[in-house]
């Protein structure tokens, strides 16, 4: 199984540009999450989804949008890139209802806004 | 509100020694889970060990064990016989009950294993 796949792995954007970070999982997990990790820091939750058609804001949602049209995919959209959004972005997923299940992470997307 | 605190931003340990990484947490939930993740320099997040709040025994996974002290709200990670490959960032994390399975993370501890 591929697990959680994120694309692209690296991207440089100019201020004001937009882009979509892709995330797909093949484990039939209902729950999916987007985190950002700033240098030397822990992970902060941007958005999460408990199933297709359902999304909710996390700790730092400003400047981002998400959609969840299928169980497999959970793309993250940056509409107007700002330097403060330079970070590493992680997508994660897990099965619901079993508290001992760890989140499965993708390898991350390293994004620089210049 | 839930909170995870890791007070050691960085640690240096001699190879083959045991190391303890501190983690304290705050929650009003009765049921919760605690996780430790390893993030090597390559950047991926690797799940290491889990401890449930109702588990009576401390969790162990190979060289990793969790020193769980519920009354003190601490969940320290112990790595026995450290290896050079253990050099990484380590994150403590918690999932509470009825919180859409959201996990919150501490700021991490960077561990350096010295040869």
């Amino acid at each position: 199984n591929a697990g959680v796949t994120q694309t692209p792995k690296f991207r440089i954007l100019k201020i004001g540009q937009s882009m979509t970070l892709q995330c797909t999982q093949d484990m039939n997990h209902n729950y999916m999450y987007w985190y950002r990790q700033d240098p030397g820091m822990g992970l902060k939750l941007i958005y999460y989804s408990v199933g297709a058609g359902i999304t909710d804001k996390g700790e730092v949602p400003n400047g981002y949008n998400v959609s969840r049209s299928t169980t497999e995919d959970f793309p993250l959209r940056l509409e107007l890139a700002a330097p403060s959004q330079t970070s590493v972005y992680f997508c994660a997923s897990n099965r619901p209802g079993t508290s001992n299940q760890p989140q499965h992470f993708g390898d991350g997307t390293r994004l620089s806004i210049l | 509100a839930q909170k995870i605190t890791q007070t050691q931003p960085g640690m240096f340990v001699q190879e083959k020694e045991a190391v303890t990484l501190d983690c304290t947490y705050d929650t009003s939930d009765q049921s919760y889970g605690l996780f430790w993740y390893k993030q090597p320099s390559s950047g991926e997040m690797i799940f290491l060990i889990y401890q449930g709040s109702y588990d009576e025994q401390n969790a162990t996974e190979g060289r990793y064990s969790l020193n769980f002290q519920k009354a003190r709200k601490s969940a320290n990670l112990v790595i026995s016989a450290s290896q050079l490959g253990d050099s990484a960032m380590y994150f403590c994390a918690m999932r509470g009950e009825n919180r859409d399975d959201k996990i919150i993370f501490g700021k991490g501890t960077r561990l350096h294993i010295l040869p």
Side-chain angles (χ1 to χ4, degrees):
Chain A
N1 284 342
V4 179
T5 302
Q6 291 183 238
T7 56
K9 293 190 184 305
F10 305 94
R11 184 73 183 268
I12 298 174
L13 283 182
K14 293 182 179 179
I15 295 172
Q17 287 185 322
S18 62
M19 78 163 293
T20 299
L21 281 67
Q22 302 291 346
C23 175
T24 186
Q25 52 89 11
D26 62 359
M27 297 173 283
N28 202 32
H29 286 170
N30 284 35
Y31 288 16
M32 296 187 73
Y33 311 82
W34 275 105
Y35 294 92
R36 60 176 287 174
Q37 184 181 27
D38 298 330
M41 302 295 287
L43 279 72
K44 293 185 178 180
L45 183 64
I46 305 171
Y47 270 95
Y48 66 101
S49 168
V50 300
I54 305 170
T55 62
D56 208 346
K57 296 178 181 179
E59 183 183 359
V60 289
N62 292 344
Y64 307 94
N65 279 301
V66 293
S67 59
R68 186 90 182 274
S69 57
T70 68
T71 299
E72 295 77 19
D73 301 308
F74 189 40
L76 178 72
R77 178 88 177 158
L78 282 71
E79 292 293 350
L80 289 171
S84 61
Q85 293 177 305
T86 293
S87 191
V88 179
Y89 292 83
F90 287 98
C91 179
S93 73
N94 62 259
R95 288 190 288 130
T98 49
S99 62
N100 64 341
Q101 292 298 311
Q103 289 182 330
H104 298 258
F105 283 84
D107 289 339
T109 294
R110 191 174 298 274
L111 181 63
S112 295
I113 315 296
L114 303 176
Chain B
Q2 296 188 110
K3 186 178 180 181
I4 292 283
T5 302
Q6 294 181 254
T7 57
Q8 307 152 309
M11 288 186 69
F12 291 82
V13 174
Q14 209 68 38
E15 189 181 10
K16 299 182 183 177
E17 289 184 351
V19 57
T20 297
L21 305 180
D22 295 340
C23 173
T24 58
Y25 59 92
D26 190 19
T27 182
S28 57
D29 291 346
Q30 296 301 309
S31 175
Y32 50 89
L34 296 154
F35 302 82
W36 277 91
Y37 286 84
K38 173 184 179 181
Q39 187 179 42
S41 57
S42 50
E44 70 268 31
M45 295 289 286
I46 302 169
F47 165 68
L48 295 178
I49 195 167
Y50 166 84
Q51 178 83 42
S53 59
Y54 289 115
D55 293 342
E56 294 184 352
Q57 292 189 335
N58 287 343
T60 60
E61 289 287 348
R63 293 187 300 112
Y64 304 108
S65 61
L66 207 151
N67 183 2
F68 181 48
Q69 299 185 46
K70 193 172 181 177
R72 297 181 60 186
K73 292 189 175 179
S74 75
N76 298 340
L77 177 70
V78 180
I79 305 174
S80 63
S82 58
Q83 302 171 357
L84 294 178
D86 294 332
S87 294
M89 195 77 164
Y90 289 81
F91 292 100
C92 181
M94 177 172 64
R95 171 188 283 140
E97 60 184 353
N98 301 321
R99 295 181 188 276
D100 295 334
D101 272 13
K102 286 187 290 186
I103 292 181
I104 62 166
F105 288 81
K107 293 186 176 181
T109 295
R110 184 166 295 282
L111 177 64
H112 304 268
I113 306 298
L114 304 173

